[in-house]
Amino acid sequence: QKEVEQDPGPLSVPEGAIVSLNCTYSNSAFQYFMWYRQYSRKGPELLMYTYSSGNKEDGRFTAQVDKSSKYISLFIRDSQPSDSATYLCAMINGGSNYKLTFGKGTLLTVNP
Amino acid sequence: DAEITQSPRHKITETGRQVTLACHQTWNHNNMFWYRQDLGHGLRLIHYSYGVQDTNKGEVSDGYSVSRSNTEDLPLTLESAASSQTSVYFCASSPGTGHTLNTEAFFGQGTRLTVV
């Protein structure tokens, strides 16, 4: 079993839709959870970072962590064509050497 | 503005040749990383460094080496290129000293390497 599982999609939604992206993980030592956005032929860029269970909101984006279920989500409200990208979840085992472990990424297309 | 740059952006090489991919950052970050990204595998860590003269193996380090002689650069060398090393390579850096948290990693634009 991979440490981090992420449905690769692709996911296609109309403009204005609410998008839900998810990752599950198996390593209970993961403490820090991140979402990266990667546009085509570009490097990933950090979107949001959370620690421990709960929600974190930043504009149209909400990151949610449920440690008891080992499940994290990213919600995008009022999705825009400019949100079309691959979204990667990433996690850090705080008890180790702080390396990032990435999911495979979900390709999202928002259609105008 | 501070940045992280990779060169070349695209490279085609032959099997068995030695290839070096450059990574240069101007943030003065201590931590630098090399990843490869392949369809079906996502981003996988090749090597990483927490400072000058420090290098560590990641999960897919076989056939690759790095050296860190200064803060700004972490070149990645493929000793004898193989077709299995055809991939997109990303360099990243993050602030902090030693083993401090690397939540905010900054990535370069990537190098697309084809081994024929």
Side-chain angles (χ1 to χ4, degrees):
Chain A
Q1 181 187 10
K2 294 278 285 182
E3 280 192 297
V4 180
E5 300 277 3
Q6 183 176 11
D7 186 340
L11 185 60
S12 181
V13 301
E15 183 175 353
I18 297 174
V19 176
S20 172
L21 303 165
N22 311 294
C23 287
T24 59
Y25 62 95
S26 58
N27 188 345
S28 57
F30 285 135
Q31 297 179 344
Y32 305 91
F33 306 91
M34 286 130 283
W35 286 96
Y36 281 79
R37 178 176 60 196
Q38 184 177 21
Y39 291 115
S40 180
R41 298 186 176 272
K42 301 287 188 184
E45 55 179 344
L46 182 67
L47 257 185
M48 297 188 71
Y49 144 63
T50 55
Y51 170 71
S52 78
S53 289
N55 292 357
K56 183 175 183 179
E57 192 172 314
D58 184 1
R60 296 183 295 109
F61 298 89
T62 300
Q64 197 171 78
V65 175
D66 182 349
K67 281 192 169 181
S68 63
S69 302
K70 297 190 179 66
Y71 189 88
I72 70 170
S73 300
L74 178 71
F75 298 96
I76 307 174
R77 290 186 301 280
D78 187 25
S79 56
Q80 302 295 309
S82 58
D83 295 328
S84 298
T86 296
Y87 290 81
L88 302 134
C89 63
M91 306 181 188
I92 290 179
N93 178 349
S96 181
N97 47 9
Y98 301 109
K99 297 195 306 291
L100 287 165
T101 300
F102 283 89
K104 294 180 182 178
T106 300
L107 177 60
L108 170 68
T109 301
V110 180
N111 302 298
Chain B
D1 283 344
E3 59 181 2
I4 181 166
T5 55
Q6 293 182 232
S7 61
R9 293 294 310 279
H10 302 271
K11 186 167 181 67
I12 301 174
T13 191
E14 293 178 343
T15 301
R17 289 194 180 267
Q18 184 180 81
V19 177
T20 296
L21 309 183
C23 176
H24 178 81
Q25 52 100 0
T26 59
W27 282 299
N28 206 35
H29 286 166
N30 287 304
N31 310 315
M32 295 186 74
F33 309 84
W34 273 104
Y35 292 87
R36 58 178 289 176
Q37 188 173 37
D38 305 284
L39 218 59
H41 289 281
L43 279 161
R44 292 181 291 174
L45 184 63
I46 305 172
H47 281 286
Y48 59 103
S49 167
Y50 288 132
V52 176
Q53 303 301 332
D54 175 75
T55 60
N56 306 279
K57 293 182 179 180
E59 61 179 305
V60 290
S61 60
D62 286 350
Y64 303 94
S65 63
V66 293
S67 62
R68 187 91 181 270
S69 58
N70 58 53
T71 301
E72 296 81 16
D73 299 286
L74 188 70
L76 176 71
T77 297
L78 286 68
E79 304 294 343
S80 177
S83 57
S84 60
Q85 294 176 308
T86 293
S87 185
V88 181
Y89 292 85
F90 287 100
C91 179
S93 72
S94 70
T97 51
H99 293 209
T100 52
L101 200 56
N102 296 319
T103 55
E104 195 166 6
F106 297 87
F107 284 79
Q109 297 281 59
T111 295
R112 191 170 294 268
L113 177 68
T114 303
V115 183
V116 298

